[in-house]
Amino acid sequence: ADTFDALIDGAMMNNPLAGAWKIGADDISFTVEKEFTDLATGQYILYSGERVASWDMGFTYGEAVSGSFEMAGATVKASSATAVGAGTVAPATTTRIMNAVSDLSGIEIDGVVFTGCLQSVQLSVNNNLRPAECLGSDTPGDQILGTAEVTGSIEAYLTDTTQAWYNDKVLNQTKFSIKFAIADGTSIYEFNIPNARISGDSPAAGGINTDVMVSV
């Protein structure tokens, strides 16, 4: 249940309240130590001041939910001794992989269950980090937090519902909210974007025996 929660803290720059994250400005950074255990003598690389620069999530029909976290740090140091000591390492979690078919539900547009057919949703949070570059130092002094940008894309089949949605949200530039959830029967993550605007090309017919898609 908490496999990625620490990294989500960093991506959202927010310590969750009652299990809920909002894009914030908490100063969350990490120290990461990498050990090469197959060498005769211990070799370690210590990365400090690591912040989550961006977080990408992909929800595509028939596939496991995928994602990535990009990190940006301040310093790196090689050593023959561990910096974190001989403490215990928490075992890997055993929660199962979530998928975008049976685990994704409740897609709502403006608080109403969406009856169109979405094939994929992609989400990205970019914290726009920028390095503080100081004379006399070969690494940044810090990673400065910028303005968070939340972007994404949606691929949908053309139906009466999606055409009406496209006409209103794209052509009229009407803002809207979108919400959906993924759950594995034990844990649940709900994604809620309360204020979004979209742009995209007109639906295009690719040819015979191909589906007309709306990409925004």
Side-chain angles (χ1 to χ4, degrees):
D2 57 356
T3 303
F4 297 106
D5 284 7
L7 289 172
I8 296 175
D9 292 351
M12 301 292 282
M13 290 295 171
N14 178 238
N15 291 300
L17 179 63
W21 290 275
K22 291 185 178 181
I23 294 239
D26 293 332
D27 189 10
I28 298 175
S29 63
F30 304 89
T31 297
V32 180
E33 184 175 77
K34 178 164 60 177
E35 177 185 4
F36 298 93
T37 59
D38 57 339
L39 300 180
T41 57
Q43 293 295 323
Y44 304 86
I45 299 179
L46 187 71
Y47 303 90
S48 302
E50 293 284 333
R51 290 182 171 85
V52 179
S54 63
W55 176 32
D56 297 302
M57 292 286 288
F59 308 86
T60 301
Y61 179 81
E63 297 181 8
V65 175
S66 61
S68 63
F69 297 89
E70 181 180 345
M71 310 291 287
T75 63
V76 57
K77 179 181 179 182
S79 175
S80 60
T82 176
V84 299
T88 57
V89 176
T93 56
T94 57
T95 50
R96 70 170 179 82
I97 295 173
M98 294 182 178
N99 65 72
V101 182
S102 59
D103 294 338
L104 193 149
S105 63
I107 300 173
E108 296 182 6
I109 304 290
D110 288 332
V112 178
V113 175
F114 188 64
T115 57
C117 183
L118 305 184
Q119 188 180 62
S120 67
V121 176
Q122 308 290 324
L123 289 177
S124 178
V125 177
N126 183 355
N127 285 316
N128 282 297
L129 298 181
R130 58 189 186 275
E133 298 171 328
C134 310
L135 291 174
S137 173
D138 56 2
T139 58
D142 196 4
Q143 292 288 340
I144 302 170
L145 183 64
T147 300
E149 291 179 319
V150 181
T151 57
S153 63
I154 294 174
E155 187 89 1
Y157 289 94
L158 182 65
T159 64
D160 290 339
T161 299
T162 52
Q163 181 63 49
W165 175 62
Y166 175 88
N167 291 344
D168 182 35
K169 309 308 181 189
V170 176
L171 300 184
N172 296 332
Q173 277 295 287
T174 306
K175 68 179 181 179
F176 68 103
S177 65
I178 180 170
K179 181 171 69 174
F180 61 92
I182 53 170
D184 62 5
T186 302
S187 304
I188 182 170
Y189 289 99
E190 183 179 271
F191 296 83
N192 181 19
I193 302 175
N195 185 3
R197 293 183 189 272
I198 55 177
S199 62
D201 296 329
S202 299
I208 192 170
N209 295 324
T210 60
D211 298 310
V212 180
M213 306 297 293
V214 178
S215 301
V216 296

